[in-house]
Amino acid sequence: MNWIGRSLPRLEDPTLLRGHGHYVADLAQDAAHIRFVRSPVARGRILGIEAPEGVTVYTAADLSDVGQIRPVLERPDYVAVGQPVLPSDRVCFAGQAVAFVVADEAAAAEDLAEQIFLDIEPEEPVVDLDAALRPDAVPTHPEAPGNVLVEGRMRTSGLDAAFAGAAAVVELDLRSRRQSAMPMETRGGVARYDQRDRRTTLHASVQMPHMLRTGLADLLGCPEADLRVIAPDVGGGFGQKMSLFPEYVALVWLARHLKRDVAWIEDRRENFLASAHSRDQAFTVRGAFDAQGRLLGLEADLRSNVGAFSCYPVTCGVEPLMAFAELPGPYKVLEYGARSRGVTTNTCTMAPYRGVARPMLTLTMERLMEDAARRLGLDPIEIRRRNLIDSFPHRSPTGLVYDAGSYIAAMEAAVAAVDLPAFRRRQAEALTQGRYLGLGISVFSERTGYGTPAYAARGMAIVPGYEQVDCALDPSGHLELRIGASPHGQGLATALAQLVADELGVVPSQVRVISGDTDRTPYGWGTFASRSMVIAGGASKLASAKVAAKLRAVAACLMEATEAEIDLEGGLARVRGTNRSTPIREIARAAHHRSHLFSDLEGGLRQTAFYDPFGTFSNACHVAEVEVDVDTGGVRIERFLVVEDAGRLINPMIVDGQIHGGVAQGIANALYEEMIYDPDGNLLTASLADYLPPTINEIPKIEIIHMETISDATLTGAKGVGEGGTIGAPAAIVNAIVDALAPFGVAINETPATPERIRAAIRSARENRHE
């Protein structure tokens, strides 16, 4: 029986569904509690910090021996800016932690924090992305006088000629407004100090436990062996929990300083104010097309607001450099020129959020294709057909090598599934009734599962990417798989169990996956960038294959056969072509307890493997059908279809769940969620009364069609799928809105497409008609 490809119910779920999970807040019951005192202004000079008599407040002076968070890119265009754990002289964004207090109870700590007075002399902040680039803009940091922390540039030699010879040049300005990942479980940690061995254990809701331990040890000046980081059950991360934040440094410092257990559980307001934001981007693009609609050249000015500081370890370059490298997406681009800048402002630090820059990249290319089709009188499907990558391997102008995919086939399958002619008939009939229906399409690629070669190309001083796995069969025949990846709800343990169960001929329930504990797992990079199944899966396949080879050798010796004759299946080792078999558990026991019989059993039934691939590209096509209420600007999604190619599906049900969740966040990006600052840098959306995530009522049924292109770029045949839903949905929905409002000649090039923005676009179109 093959377990790969089966929709096995998740092995993790019974514990969670019965309420037996362990989250950080569950572990904080007996600990003292930290409460941070945060800056009420976006920019200013700290004049003093005052506490009532008898109240101890910890400030930068107390942490004078703690280093600054200073992530580095080894590039000449990068400006390294240090982030103090607590600032001593000035604040750089509203919500920045300036001091903290501690009490036996969380409520008492909150009461104490409200008694602390921050004497800060406000200064004029720089908040807006493009305003920060003006020549007279106030610098957020003195070391970056132009407010640019990183800049990538390139221009192919034939770009000018491509534009000179173009039949049509399409220029667009696009805007993606700032979002929050808003995980259900906010950030938090419990630091426990052990008097016996003088070690500190930090339980934290994070995605990169080993990286967090390294960063903490560096800043605190202690050996990593003195620290243990455990990620228990994690209630959502989406990229927000993959950075080293100052709060964790302060928490561990205090536990070591007081030699007692301390906890910090973030509330929702803190999460909105001070945890990482994402996708505050403005793109100006020009596309040169020939008369047949082929894209001859692409030129782009890409600006990303990276906030006040650079996130650790991936740095503020994560969005602008991804935009720079991956803008062409699934399209053949002959000539390319781009300038991409990471711009610092007095706002919350930016960090990766599901999809990172790709939702904006996809919106850009899909709006470009739609506009070019309209200008040239072409069908929007046909112009994509002429420009999508159709031969592999394909090398992009920035040097990315695309492995085999199904870009055109996925689009054709999607168009056939929605029956476009039938929709156009419904659309025309609805228009006669004063109803505005629209259909939008989005085709995209998703670079997934990339290892150190990709991160080294960015010039990262800390280069993540590889994964290591330890695989061991115990004397009872049960397997323990220790991974460096750190899942937070994706069902990774189940999928890996299926993968190694097929290698060893056991059932997935016999496989225990150990993750998220720096004492019990090999050094790894956690979970992010749609990498876990590709990289941790590849390492798991290699390690379990090594164990299987040892198992065959032992079985061959016991049953007087050759290793080549041994098959592992159904919990048995069988001699092929005979009725001789032995239960695997008996072979495992013999390997441990009668090892003297087996001459070549060095390492026993425990093996380690390492995997560090170049990466692979998933692809998909999304189609959205919407109805727009032109009186209110409201948008209702009537239908949403995904045709997804993520290679071999280890567990199709888990893949579907990833797509569903991703599309829901993409819908949020397209229509609802926006972090809004006023001109003084005050966050206006600091609670769920103002920040608008969609509910189940706004999420339609999501139809999924799977395609499987098996590529040799990945050991398992699987490609990453975790971010695809979020990447493709915004562009499909925006294109559908523009299609619905075609009678008005409305163009929407900004997300979220809120009712206010849609109504403004309709009013503007009507006014232009009357002029």
Side-chain angles (χ1 to χ4, degrees):
M1 177 183 292
N2 289 329
W3 293 102
I4 291 176
R6 299 179 64 191
S7 291
L8 186 71
R10 301 196 323 174
L11 301 175
E12 304 95 320
D13 286 349
T15 297
L16 299 176
L17 293 174
R18 293 179 178 128
H20 297 153
H22 281 85
Y23 296 87
V24 168
D26 297 323
L27 307 172
Q29 304 305 317
D30 299 322
H33 287 261
I34 280 183
R35 186 71 178 180
F36 288 94
V37 184
R38 300 185 179 276
S39 172
V41 300
R43 179 189 181 95
R45 192 160 59 95
I46 300 172
L47 302 179
I49 301 172
E50 301 174 11
E53 186 176 350
V55 175
T56 300
V57 57
Y58 294 91
T59 68
D62 297 291
L63 277 67
S64 59
D65 59 341
V66 176
Q68 289 191 339
I69 301 171
R70 188 183 292 269
V72 173
L73 289 176
E74 294 172 340
R75 321 170 37 110
D77 54 35
Y78 175 74
V79 179
V81 173
Q83 179 180 9
V85 174
L86 297 176
S88 60
D89 54 352
R90 61 189 319 103
V91 294
C92 293
F93 69 94
Q96 182 177 3
V98 178
F100 62 87
V101 295
V102 61
D104 289 337
E105 302 291 339
E110 187 166 355
D111 290 341
L112 290 178
E114 290 177 355
Q115 299 176 50
I116 306 303
F117 174 68
L118 301 180
D119 188 3
I120 300 175
E121 182 179 11
E123 298 173 343
E124 182 181 355
V126 57
V127 178
D128 179 73
L129 169 57
D130 285 327
L133 292 171
R134 294 173 188 155
D136 60 347
V138 177
T140 302
H141 301 284
E143 56 265 60
N147 285 324
V148 174
L149 296 187
V150 66
E151 179 172 354
R153 288 176 181 257
M154 73 163 290
R155 192 175 186 87
T156 58
S157 59
L159 185 62
D160 290 338
F163 276 92
V169 174
V170 178
E171 183 168 345
L172 295 175
D173 288 307
L174 302 105
R175 194 71 169 84
S176 172
R177 298 293 176 176
R178 177 180 292 236
Q179 279 186 278
S180 170
M182 205 193 76
M184 185 176 293
E185 180 194 24
T186 57
R187 296 178 300 164
V190 178
R192 301 193 184 281
Y193 183 81
D194 190 326
Q195 299 273 9
R196 181 178 58 85
D197 59 14
R198 296 186 295 279
R199 295 185 79 211
T200 306
T201 298
L202 173 66
H203 289 79
S205 184
V206 296
Q207 295 171 228
M208 300 175 72
H210 285 96
M211 188 69 257
L212 181 59
R213 185 186 67 178
T214 295
L216 288 168
D218 286 348
L219 268 62
L220 296 171
C222 69
E224 290 197 40
D226 285 354
L227 299 175
R228 179 184 186 183
V229 176
I230 300 173
D233 294 316
V234 176
F238 312 115
Q240 188 186 87
K241 295 178 180 176
M242 62 177 284
S243 298
L244 170 63
F245 289 101
E247 290 89 347
Y248 290 129
V249 184
L251 183 67
V252 174
W253 176 89
L254 186 64
R256 289 163 58 86
H257 177 71
L258 298 180
K259 295 180 172 49
R260 66 174 297 187
D261 299 347
V262 291
W264 168 62
I265 307 299
E266 182 182 58
D267 65 26
R268 184 60 62 187
R269 184 172 183 274
E270 283 184 299
N271 184 263
F272 280 137
L273 278 173
S275 63
H277 297 168
S278 191
R279 289 203 275 273
D280 187 346
Q281 298 164 323
F283 290 2
T284 299
V285 296
R286 298 170 68 229
F289 292 84
D290 68 14
Q292 287 73 45
R294 294 183 178 88
L295 182 57
L296 304 175
L298 180 65
E299 186 174 31
D301 179 17
L302 313 171
R303 288 98 65 205
S304 298
N305 184 344
V306 299
F309 297 103
S310 198
C311 61
Y312 179 100
V314 296
T315 80
C316 65
V318 63
E319 283 189 345
L321 295 182
M322 178 181 285
F324 174 78
E326 299 185 23
L327 179 62
Y331 294 104
K332 296 175 286 189
V333 177
L334 301 178
E335 303 291 343
Y336 180 56
R339 181 188 190 190
S340 186
R341 288 169 285 178
V343 182
T344 180
T345 63
N346 294 117
T347 60
C348 180
T349 297
M350 301 299 242
Y353 169 40
R354 196 174 193 171
V356 194
R358 295 188 195 100
M360 183 60 162
L361 307 186
T362 302
L363 176 69
T364 299
M365 295 305 295
E366 294 307 290
R367 292 297 303 130
L368 192 68
M369 288 296 160
E370 292 283 323
D371 213 43
R374 180 183 58 80
R375 289 273 301 276
L376 293 166
L378 294 173
D379 178 77
I381 304 301
E382 182 57 33
I383 197 170
R384 289 177 171 86
R385 200 175 280 132
R386 295 177 185 182
N387 285 287
L388 286 167
I389 298 168
D390 55 3
S391 63
F392 302 94
H394 170 83
R395 182 177 291 273
S396 79
T398 60
L400 298 181
V401 177
Y402 291 60
D403 57 323
S406 56
Y407 300 89
I408 294 177
M411 182 185 70
E412 301 290 9
V415 171
V418 297
D419 193 352
L420 192 54
F423 173 81
R424 293 300 179 204
R425 291 192 293 271
R426 292 200 312 276
Q427 183 183 39
E429 182 181 351
L431 190 59
T432 65
Q433 302 166 3
R435 296 170 53 227
Y436 294 83
L437 306 185
L439 183 143
I441 189 169
S442 166
V443 184
F444 66 93
S445 60
E446 179 189 359
R447 191 183 186 194
T448 73
Y450 41 95
T452 59
Y455 288 103
R458 295 181 186 175
M460 294 182 68
I462 295 174
V463 184
Y466 63 82
E467 283 298 335
Q468 300 177 81
V469 164
D470 292 337
C471 183
L473 201 65
D474 69 20
S476 69
H478 281 70
L479 191 81
E480 193 168 77
L481 193 71
R482 299 171 183 261
I483 64 173
S486 184
H488 51 275
Q490 312 96 312
L492 179 63
T494 300
L496 291 179
Q498 290 177 248
L499 184 71
V500 302
D502 273 353
E503 290 288 332
L504 287 159
V506 298
V507 297
S509 60
Q510 290 177 259
V511 180
R512 182 187 298 275
V513 178
I514 307 296
S515 64
D517 184 341
T518 59
D519 271 12
R520 299 186 65 196
T521 60
Y523 199 101
W525 293 98
T527 298
F528 58 97
S530 300
R531 69 190 297 274
S532 297
M533 198 61 241
V534 176
I535 306 183
S540 298
K541 182 177 176 66
L542 290 172
S544 58
K546 291 180 181 180
V547 173
K550 291 287 187 75
L551 204 56
R552 290 190 187 95
V554 174
C557 182
L558 290 176
M559 293 189 286
E560 299 181 343
T562 66
E563 294 177 33
E565 293 177 300
I566 301 296
D567 291 327
L568 304 176
E569 57 185 14
L572 300 171
R574 301 178 186 273
V575 180
R576 193 179 308 119
T578 75
N579 61 0
R580 286 183 291 156
S581 66
T582 302
I584 288 173
R585 65 177 181 276
E586 293 184 14
I587 297 170
R589 183 169 290 271
H592 284 85
H593 295 173
R594 291 190 286 160
S595 58
H596 63 285
L597 298 178
F598 315 111
S599 59
D600 188 23
L601 199 58
E602 184 178 348
L605 298 182
R606 176 183 294 274
Q607 295 292 306
T608 298
F610 175 95
Y611 188 46
D612 188 16
F614 280 87
T616 179
F617 281 82
S618 301
N619 66 271
C621 179
H622 289 194
V623 182
E625 295 180 17
V626 306
E627 180 171 355
V628 180
D629 185 329
V630 298
D631 293 323
T632 66
V635 177
R636 184 172 70 249
I637 303 173
E638 303 285 353
R639 184 180 185 187
F640 203 97
L641 171 71
V642 175
V643 178
E644 175 81 31
D645 190 339
R648 178 172 289 119
L649 306 185
I650 306 300
N651 185 314
M653 181 176 66
I654 288 175
V655 172
D656 286 354
Q658 286 287 293
I659 294 171
H660 288 162
V663 168
Q665 289 185 306
I667 291 170
N669 189 175
L671 298 175
Y672 301 105
E673 295 183 0
E674 181 178 358
M675 305 299 287
I676 301 173
Y677 283 97
D678 71 10
D680 293 324
N682 299 306
L683 186 65
L684 302 179
T685 50
S687 76
L688 287 171
D690 302 302
Y691 190 78
L692 187 65
T695 71
I696 192 64
N697 289 326
E698 286 75 52
I699 306 299
K701 178 183 177 182
I702 300 166
E703 305 166 49
I704 301 174
I705 297 173
H706 290 294
M707 305 184 78
E708 287 192 349
T709 299
I710 308 301
S711 164
D712 59 5
T714 163
L715 268 180
T716 62
K719 300 180 176 185
V721 74
E723 298 171 281
T726 311
I727 293 168
I733 292 167
V734 169
N735 279 340
I737 294 170
V738 173
D739 183 52
L741 300 179
F744 298 95
V746 165
I748 303 289
N749 292 316
E750 182 174 3
T751 58
T754 61
E756 292 83 358
R757 291 188 176 116
I758 291 172
R759 286 290 302 135
I762 294 171
R763 281 195 304 271
S764 177
R766 283 171 170 164
E767 289 167 1
N768 290 337
R769 282 185 178 181
H770 293 152
E771 290 179 357

